[in-house]
Amino acid sequence: MIPVSDTSVLTRTEAVERHSLLDVRTVHLDLDLTRGPEVFGSTTLIRFACTAPGSATYVDVIPAALHRAVLNGRELDVATLRDGRLPLTDLAADNELTVEADMAYSHTGEGMHRYTDPADGEDYVYTQSFLGDGPRVFASFDQPDLKARYTLSVTAPHQWAVIGNSLGHQPSPGRWNFAPTPPISSYLVSVVAGPLHSVRAEHDGIPLGLHCRRSLAAHLDADAAELLEITRQGFDHYHRVFRHRYPFGSYDQCFVPEFNAGAMENPGCVTLRDEYVFRSAVPDTQREERAMVVIHEMAHMWFGDLVTMKWWDDLWLNESFAEYMAYSVTAASTRFTSAWTGFAADRKTWGYDADQRPSTHPVAPGTVDDTAQALQNFDGISYAKGAAALRQLVAWLGEDAFLAGVNDYFDEHAFGNATLDDLLRALAAASGRDVQGWAERWLRTTGVDTLRLTGGRIDHTSPDGTPRPHQLTVARYRRTADGTLELTDRVPLDLAADGTAAPLDPAAGATDGTAADLTLLNDTDLSYVKIRLDPASWQTVRSSLGAVPEELARAVLWSAARDQVRDGELAPAEYLQLVADHLPGETSVHLVDAVLAFAHEFVADSAVPPAERPAALAALARVCRTLLARTEGEADRTGLRLVAVRGVIATADQSQAAELRDWLAAGTVPGGPALDPDLRWQLLLRLCVLGAAGEPEIAAELAADPSSTSEEGAARCRAALPDPAAKEAAWQALFHGELSNYLAAATARGLWRPEQAELLDGLTTRYFEELGPAAARRGPALARVLTTAAFPAFAATEHTVRAAEACLADPDLTVATRRGLVDQLDTLRRAVRARALSGQ
Ligand SMILES: [Zn+2]
């Protein structure tokens, strides 16, 4: 077993040095997947040039056993391997390096992950190579700017299929050879193998494949038409706007188990978490999210794979661009035309929250010193804020100039690497604008600007005293005689970067000269900014939020209410009142889903004092019941009813336990939907939390549907039982066991239940004692689980804050643990502050 830790960290300085020394040409990679469940064979042949013959460097490799390494015919001493680096000395102008090793399979989604499907006992493996995990699969010069042509061969059990970055064929049973790739970075090399179920198609000359575990075959088949349609729409869009055609031949999308990210953009072999093969009914928002993931990864084929950032400080070049394209292309070219509402209601809050924490960083940080730091930047800043910033850039430059610059950038750097400056130069040349100046304000600074409407003027502030320029719109509404709101006008507003307060004529737009009842800044959510309404407008929101006609404007208002709660400016009770008044009539599933999630997880579970929690939960339950009644008998095309059912289950108290048991026994919610695996496990979880079900019910459910859904459902339920022995067992598994990444997350989600505060009291203290060692032992992916799902967020007290602060003082925390804890502490402090408001 190879401990996953920060030891394989590469620094920027080292990468620059090695890049100046080496030119990697080809890599032949031969993997043997027939060596049992613990290890696989990995033989790498790297041909590379060296600009300074006689000098030394090292190759990255993290093996279970290093058998042999030969450089230019000379046997190397494998005992010189230290911290994932094998020294290479006396390099020639042209070199040939062979490394033979056994590599360990991973169960944390880092390196070559191996998984046994509980449904049928079949084994599957897949690689996740980025940010330092590639050398757990094969020896390489593992940095983005040493691209090479990769030729892959794999020996696998005869009944397996193997998917790689390029098209493969089988010269003999169990042997797979793949065509050489164009030059790609080592972190993008991908292999997926197992007795896969595949759906194949073709579009515009591109062979397409969809692949999943055999036990998910029926579910993939049911959704294949939708997935392929999105894929075709994505390719058509990109081929319309980019001058380069898709550069990697075939396009396989592999749905893989226990995947840490949403998906990974391996050229020609995208890996996606296989929860996207839906086993249960989902609201349309989840289908939209899946469509956006498909479009996001496809954007990377150009932005990230064809042209790759030189170093991880330009991670945003990859992620912000792909994220922006995901929303804009999904909204423009697929059936999910309201994708930007989802962005406003949900995704963007990820960016706002991250940007107001002590751990915030610029979208484009000046320097990222090493790969461990870089891994922490896969956050709300690089994705959501970066995408919002690009949306501003496109609004300012115009889409044509933006795309012209991007295409020039692709032309200049195809199959190579580039930096932020390269992109800015191309955009400036194409648009004739000062894009560098724009980037200084938008990409090189941190924090969220605030626009506050007072006395007919916009007060424009920023945390660092230097406000950004904003392109946005302002809408004005007037109340009509029948109580609805009517849009009287919408005007574009070009706010300068100097923070000059811009006057807004309060009467403008109202035909009879009276003031508007509601003036809403950024109503189309074009900019990335916090808004605060004038008192009269806020009164209108309180009485009439649900009457605002546009879904996107309502999303902006809900988002403003949300961050006022987080900022301690709006009492949790007032937010819950808004929910009670305006959510029961809401038609947007985006909004119902996002508002209920925040109202439950942050407000009811954490930000209201424990004594007020039952009432808060009961208020949410009434909202969900009203939504349920409203959708009775309706054809549920968007999934609103499903969201309501989930809410009813999650907020149920003791008095409703018998009803939930009846639903479970009947296999349906009265009036539908019928219970599918997800709903059954949600029901059982709630019953376990309430002490109304236990091990016999869990075991029966698991036996009825042996699957990963059930294994995770059972882990969650067992950890949620109101019983000290169950809590201790969950604790031991989580902090001292070897749970896979997914089973650890499921266990963590069951563990902390606000209803069981007394039972959990001692564990909150233990959490801060045992977190550091456990996270160090299990590596960055598990550190993320332990600092998110396993964090006792419900215990929002000064005592917990002080315990978290004391824990952070430990100098031995890993980079991933420290970052996770800093972020949780920020949310915790906000909850404590909100609780104080309730006490007033
Ligand atoms: Zn991405």
Side-chain angles (χ1 to χ4, degrees):
M1 183 67 206
I2 306 297
V4 183
S5 68
D6 292 343
T7 54
S8 59
V9 163
L10 180 73
T11 69
R12 186 177 201 276
T13 312
E14 290 168 335
V16 168
E17 236 170 66
R18 196 160 62 172
H19 180 264
S20 70
L21 196 63
L22 305 185
D23 180 10
V24 187
R25 288 168 181 162
T26 61
V27 178
H28 283 78
L29 178 56
D30 198 334
L31 301 178
D32 181 359
L33 306 178
T34 63
R35 296 187 186 176
E38 303 296 330
V39 298
F40 60 98
S42 170
T43 300
T44 317
L45 167 60
I46 310 177
R47 294 197 173 91
F48 62 101
C50 173
T51 55
S55 61
T57 188
Y58 53 88
V59 67
D60 303 300
V61 57
I62 309 174
L66 183 55
H67 298 308
R68 193 164 178 245
V70 180
L71 176 64
N72 300 329
R74 175 164 49 94
E75 291 278 345
L76 303 179
D77 179 2
V78 296
T80 59
L81 177 71
R82 286 278 180 287
D83 296 335
R85 295 175 178 189
L86 182 70
L88 307 176
T89 55
D90 197 17
L91 295 174
D94 293 294
N95 300 274
E96 203 172 280
L97 172 69
T98 304
V99 179
E100 293 176 25
D102 275 352
M103 301 290 193
Y105 287 114
S106 142
H107 297 287
T108 62
E110 296 153 309
M112 178 87 81
H113 188 87
R114 188 178 178 104
Y115 170 85
T116 302
D117 191 339
D120 53 15
E122 295 286 1
D123 293 316
Y124 297 87
V125 302
Y126 65 86
T127 57
Q128 173 65 358
S129 304
F130 86 159
L131 274 171
D133 288 325
R136 298 178 195 283
V137 181
F138 59 97
S140 70
F141 299 110
D142 189 32
Q143 59 190 71
D145 63 350
L146 287 174
K147 288 191 174 184
R149 292 178 185 278
Y150 282 80
T151 306
L152 170 71
S153 298
V154 177
T155 301
H158 287 194
Q159 70 278 20
W160 282 21
V162 183
I163 312 292
N165 296 97
S166 52
L167 279 179
H169 71 283
Q170 275 182 285
S172 58
R175 183 69 180 165
W176 296 76
N177 290 336
F178 292 83
T181 67
I184 61 174
S185 301
S186 53
Y187 78 94
L188 294 169
V189 172
S190 180
V191 180
V192 176
L196 297 166
H197 171 70
S198 299
V199 176
R200 295 190 187 278
E202 189 265 0
H203 179 63
D204 197 7
I206 304 166
L208 304 177
L210 302 172
H211 313 273
C212 70
R213 286 184 272 145
R214 196 177 277 176
S215 66
L216 297 177
H219 306 290
L220 181 65
D221 289 349
D223 274 4
E226 177 174 325
L227 284 162
L228 289 170
E229 182 184 27
I230 300 291
T231 304
R232 291 183 180 110
Q233 288 167 331
F235 272 123
D236 287 348
H237 188 106
Y238 290 132
H239 283 156
R240 209 161 43 237
V241 299
F242 296 154
R243 285 200 292 270
H244 275 262
R245 260 186 71 82
Y246 171 65
F248 298 105
S250 54
Y251 197 70
D252 286 295
Q253 297 177 86
C254 306
F255 295 88
V256 296
E258 300 193 315
F259 199 65
N260 284 325
M264 179 68 199
E265 67 267 25
N266 314 298
C269 183
V270 172
T271 38
L272 305 96
R273 57 169 53 213
D274 70 13
E275 291 97 316
Y276 287 134
V277 179
F278 302 127
R279 294 186 76 228
S280 299
V282 293
D284 225 28
T285 43
Q286 276 176 260
R287 292 186 178 274
E288 179 181 296
E289 180 194 321
R290 180 175 71 180
M292 279 189 301
V293 171
V294 167
I295 302 284
H296 174 118
E297 303 311 322
M298 198 183 288
H300 277 311
M301 296 301 126
W302 285 264
F303 220 102
D305 295 357
L306 174 67
V307 181
T308 309
M309 81 232 134
K310 183 163 176 53
W311 177 246
W312 301 104
D313 48 6
D314 279 332
L315 171 75
W316 88 280
L317 280 184
N318 280 11
E319 296 310 339
S320 306
F321 186 89
E323 183 92 341
Y324 168 73
M325 293 308 276
Y327 282 92
S328 62
V329 175
T330 300
S333 292
T334 75
R335 74 179 173 91
F336 301 105
T337 51
S338 64
W340 286 114
T341 303
F343 188 66
D346 182 25
R347 189 69 161 187
K348 217 172 160 190
T349 60
W350 187 31
Y352 287 137
D353 293 356
D355 208 11
Q356 296 177 77
R357 289 183 184 132
S359 60
T360 187
H361 55 87
V363 172
T367 53
V368 171
D369 291 336
D370 59 45
T371 48
Q373 288 292 342
L375 187 59
Q376 304 315 313
N377 287 352
F378 282 81
D379 60 10
I381 306 285
S382 297
Y383 287 77
K385 181 184 179 183
L390 282 182
R391 200 176 181 205
Q392 275 288 291
L393 182 63
V394 175
W396 182 53
L397 297 181
E399 192 163 18
D400 289 348
F402 174 73
L403 288 171
V406 167
N407 274 309
D408 293 344
Y409 169 85
F410 291 154
D411 282 350
E412 194 173 340
H413 305 285
F415 299 109
N417 298 83
T419 64
L420 170 61
D421 279 342
D422 293 324
L423 178 67
L424 297 181
R425 260 199 307 276
L427 292 171
S431 66
R433 300 283 190 99
D434 176 19
V435 182
Q436 286 282 5
W438 176 91
E440 282 304 313
R441 292 303 314 133
W442 269 98
L443 304 179
R444 295 295 196 192
T445 59
T446 61
V448 192
D449 282 8
T450 301
L451 302 180
R452 191 180 298 271
L453 196 59
T454 42
R457 297 174 70 80
I458 299 172
D459 184 18
H460 180 187
T461 55
S462 89
D464 66 359
T466 48
R468 303 187 175 107
H470 294 270
Q471 309 272 321
L472 47 84
T473 58
V474 183
R476 275 176 282 221
Y477 299 87
R478 215 168 37 163
R479 211 189 306 271
T480 61
D482 62 2
T484 60
L485 285 174
E486 181 182 78
L487 179 71
T488 53
D489 72 340
R490 173 180 291 125
V491 292
L493 193 65
D494 189 351
L495 276 184
D498 57 7
T500 318
L504 262 190
D505 176 0
T511 46
D512 60 1
T514 57
D517 291 306
L518 166 61
T519 303
L520 179 55
L521 302 169
N522 200 32
D523 70 301
T524 51
D525 200 40
L526 200 53
S527 198
Y528 171 87
V529 66
K530 287 164 56 153
I531 57 153
R532 292 293 182 265
L533 283 76
D534 63 289
S537 291
W538 184 248
Q539 278 311 317
T540 305
V541 168
R542 290 175 66 171
S543 64
S544 311
L545 196 167
V548 173
E550 303 87 4
E551 177 184 91
L552 193 52
R554 294 198 301 279
V556 170
L557 286 165
W558 279 114
S559 177
R562 177 189 187 278
D563 69 50
Q564 286 180 81
V565 175
R566 285 176 47 88
D567 285 355
E569 296 173 15
L570 184 67
E574 283 192 58
Y575 183 85
L576 290 172
Q577 192 60 51
L578 273 184
V579 175
D581 290 344
H582 301 295
L583 214 58
E586 180 55 60
T587 52
S588 162
V589 70
H590 278 299
L591 289 178
V592 172
D593 212 2
V595 171
L596 276 180
F598 177 72
H600 191 164
E601 289 160 22
F602 183 80
V603 181
D605 278 1
S606 192
V608 301
E612 295 173 26
R613 186 171 182 274
L617 218 51
L620 294 180
R622 282 193 296 276
V623 169
C624 295
R625 295 263 173 189
T626 309
L627 284 164
L628 197 61
R630 212 188 82 200
T631 51
E632 183 90 50
E634 274 182 19
D636 189 24
R637 277 188 294 276
T638 63
L640 192 58
R641 185 171 176 82
L642 183 57
V643 172
V645 168
R646 289 176 177 177
V648 168
I649 295 170
T651 55
D653 62 18
Q654 290 292 353
S655 72
Q656 289 142 356
E659 185 185 13
L660 297 198
R661 289 191 72 101
D662 289 347
W663 292 3
L664 200 56
T668 185
V669 178
L675 301 184
D676 51 30
D678 280 356
L679 281 177
R680 291 193 71 85
W681 282 107
Q682 278 175 35
L683 272 168
L684 194 51
L685 174 66
R686 195 63 198 159
L687 290 170
C688 287
V689 170
L690 297 172
E695 183 55 37
E697 288 88 347
I698 297 170
E701 201 66 36
L702 191 55
D705 172 31
S707 65
S708 50
T709 312
S710 292
E711 297 244 309
E712 289 159 31
R716 206 159 45 232
C717 285
R718 285 176 176 139
L721 291 170
D723 164 19
K727 294 295 177 196
E728 185 59 31
W731 191 271
Q732 290 299 330
L734 198 51
F735 287 85
H736 304 283
E738 296 294 333
L739 290 178
S740 75
N741 49 346
Y742 268 40
L743 284 177
T747 303
R749 287 193 193 104
L751 181 67
W752 303 112
R753 314 304 309 191
E755 296 82 352
Q756 302 164 353
E758 279 178 32
L759 187 62
L760 295 166
D761 203 28
L763 289 183
T764 311
T765 309
R766 256 173 90 186
Y767 173 83
F768 294 105
E769 292 163 2
E770 296 180 25
L771 168 67
R777 183 175 65 86
R778 306 270 349 247
L782 262 292
R784 188 168 282 217
V785 171
L786 291 173
T787 54
T788 52
F791 185 84
F794 78 99
T797 64
E798 287 293 349
H799 178 77
T800 316
V801 167
R802 280 194 297 276
E805 287 168 346
C807 184
L808 274 171
D810 176 359
D812 293 334
L813 291 184
T814 63
V815 171
T817 313
R818 183 172 301 282
R819 172 63 188 272
L821 207 49
V822 164
D823 291 353
Q824 290 297 338
L825 181 57
D826 178 68
T827 303
L828 194 68
R829 285 192 177 117
R830 289 172 184 275
V832 170
R833 194 162 51 187
R835 273 194 194 186
L837 275 186
S838 297
Q840 285 166 3

